[in-house]
Amino acid sequence: RGDLSATWGVIGTATIDRLSRDVPRPLGTWSKMAPRIVVDGAWLRAMFGSAGLATWAVGAVLGACAAFIGTDSPLTPSFGFILALMLLGILDAAAGAVGWLVVVAIGLLTGDAIGWHEFLTLLGLGLLFSSVSLLAHVIRPLRRYVAGNSFERWERILDYVIMPVFVAFAAGSMLKALNGLSGLELISAGQVSTTRWFVGFGILGRLAVEDLAAHLYPQRMTMVQPGKLTSPGRAVTSVATATSAILLLLLLQPFFGLNAITIGAVLLTALPKVLKMWEDDFPNSTALNKWTPRGHLQFFVLLVLGAYLAATLIGPGASPERMRAALIPMLLPSTAFAVIEVFGRSGGTWPNVALKRGLGVVTWTIAVGIVTGTLILFR
């Protein structure tokens, strides 16, 4: 019914459809993140045609308002505008990115974006405004086409149940990090809690509109998306890996200092990315793929290991020295899983779906308890 409606019959729709299909592919040869940001709002263009780009205009207006209203500096927006741009970015990552670019431009023009902490603050704001929906997609698919069988319906239900909780708490942690990046007390504990609730419901809303677009506008969804995103070559991937390593070092520096530990942590996180560039040259083990936890189970295992390591290595009321010493050990489990996935890429399947679902419910319940702080496994 949506494909036959007039909701997308706006001037310029054919041109925007073509750009939506064609632009992300060449972008993918230079960046992994840029094409995903562009494609993120495809549901809007499917439903409303060229009018779906109105969110980009909203992002620009919000960015301009955030830079001037209720703040002494464009780089320290009020909480209300930060939250508004985060929610806009959940609906359309590109709209959040537009808002961030406006803040950056105003900060440069006014001379406010000239210091080290200012640069780090801009990085933090960029992640908040444009990466929350991308993070959600890493946890579970935001965009899933359900054909109607029971397995696909069950998986979609799990998207609604699993994704909002974990994305909400991750977004709260990202917001809280602004204090360390800026060197100011920009965010309070109450604002972090409020953000979690808004982001959780925002993700639910995004899932709902994605399903609406998929069921009512199936042909339109095909028309506004590229068939498959292009992956960068090794040369570009090498530059991107080095750049992300440098950015990670910059983000870690305010919290842990610039020392051998932070440099080692950055190299540790870069190792799987380097190996992945040559993964086709490595042998693949189907047994390793089958028996290594993936997806939600891997997240659960890492969560439990993280809780254990935090309790053992850091403990309550930990000193900065203990936090710094625990950084590399805390990163080892996730790095190990990422390296194992290079050598166990495919081929392993679990035939017992009922057992998988039952264990999934148990692990999700425990994981929610750990993330929300209602369940403390180790003291």
Side-chain angles (χ1 to χ4, degrees):
R1 286 175 294 177
D3 288 330
L4 299 175
S5 72
T7 58
W8 51 271
V10 184
I11 295 174
T13 292
T15 301
I16 296 303
D17 287 352
R18 186 179 69 255
L19 293 174
S20 296
R21 288 192 308 270
D22 297 344
V23 169
R25 292 181 67 84
L27 277 180
T29 61
W30 300 101
S31 168
K32 283 189 175 182
M33 191 171 183
R36 285 160 176 78
I37 289 177
V38 173
V39 170
D40 192 64
W43 69 272
L44 277 162
R45 295 186 287 279
M47 296 175 73
F48 305 110
S50 59
L53 296 181
T55 54
W56 295 21
V58 173
V61 171
L62 282 176
C65 292
F68 292 114
I69 299 176
T71 179
D72 296 326
S73 167
L75 276 62
T76 57
S78 66
F79 173 66
F81 283 114
I82 291 177
L83 187 58
L85 282 162
M86 286 181 70
L87 293 175
L88 182 66
I90 289 173
L91 292 177
D92 182 0
V98 168
W100 176 70
L101 289 173
V102 170
V103 171
V104 171
I106 294 174
L108 291 172
L109 290 173
T110 58
D112 290 275
I114 56 174
W116 182 248
H117 282 293
E118 287 76 11
F119 173 70
L120 294 177
T121 302
L122 283 175
L123 287 179
L125 290 174
L127 290 173
L128 286 171
F129 296 167
S130 62
S131 72
V132 176
S133 63
L134 305 185
L135 171 64
H137 190 74
V138 171
I139 296 174
R140 300 284 298 188
L142 272 173
R143 191 166 294 154
R144 188 192 292 270
Y145 297 94
V146 181
N149 64 63
S150 60
F151 176 78
E152 291 181 341
R153 285 195 294 267
W154 173 260
E155 288 296 310
R156 194 53 173 168
I157 290 171
L158 290 182
D159 295 341
Y160 277 83
V161 172
I162 292 174
M163 188 191 297
V165 177
F166 299 128
V167 176
F169 275 82
S173 297
M174 291 163 61
L175 180 68
K176 188 162 52 177
L178 276 182
N179 290 342
L181 295 173
S182 65
L184 303 170
E185 289 298 319
L186 299 178
I187 304 299
S188 67
Q191 290 170 337
V192 171
S193 178
T194 299
T195 299
R196 288 169 177 166
W197 283 104
F198 273 90
V199 168
F201 283 108
I203 292 295
L204 286 174
R206 172 64 188 273
L207 287 168
V209 293
E210 285 284 357
D211 283 341
L212 191 66
H215 287 85
L216 296 182
Y217 299 81
Q219 295 299 320
R220 290 286 305 152
M221 286 294 285
T222 302
M223 293 172 67
V224 298
Q225 294 184 92
K228 185 179 181 181
L229 293 177
T230 306
S231 297
R234 286 179 181 174
V236 174
T237 302
S238 299
V239 174
T241 300
T243 303
S244 64
I246 293 171
L247 291 175
L248 178 59
L249 187 63
L250 295 177
L251 292 172
L252 288 176
Q253 185 270 334
F255 303 97
F256 300 97
L258 184 60
N259 48 54
I261 292 176
T262 50
I263 294 174
V266 169
L267 293 176
L268 196 63
T269 58
L271 175 62
K273 300 176 184 178
V274 174
L275 292 176
K276 194 167 181 61
M277 286 191 288
W278 283 272
E279 68 174 358
D280 291 336
D281 299 329
F282 297 131
N284 173 60
S285 170
T286 56
L288 199 60
N289 179 261
K290 178 178 180 179
W291 294 100
T292 301
R294 300 191 302 273
H296 169 66
L297 181 58
Q298 183 183 116
F299 174 80
F300 171 74
V301 172
L302 289 173
L303 195 63
V304 173
L305 283 174
Y308 172 75
L309 290 172
T312 305
L313 301 176
I314 301 174
S319 64
E321 290 75 19
R322 295 188 71 180
M323 292 283 290
R324 194 177 299 113
L327 178 60
I328 290 181
M330 292 283 289
L331 290 173
L332 282 174
S334 59
T335 302
F337 273 122
V339 171
I340 290 172
E341 287 177 354
V342 172
F343 296 93
R345 299 183 293 278
S346 61
T349 57
W350 276 94
N352 194 328
V353 177
L355 177 62
K356 178 182 176 181
R357 291 177 179 175
L359 292 176
V361 172
V362 174
T363 55
W364 176 83
T365 304
I366 297 173
V368 170
I370 296 173
V371 169
T372 58
T374 57
L375 177 61
I376 301 176
L377 299 179
F378 311 101
R379 297 181 184 275

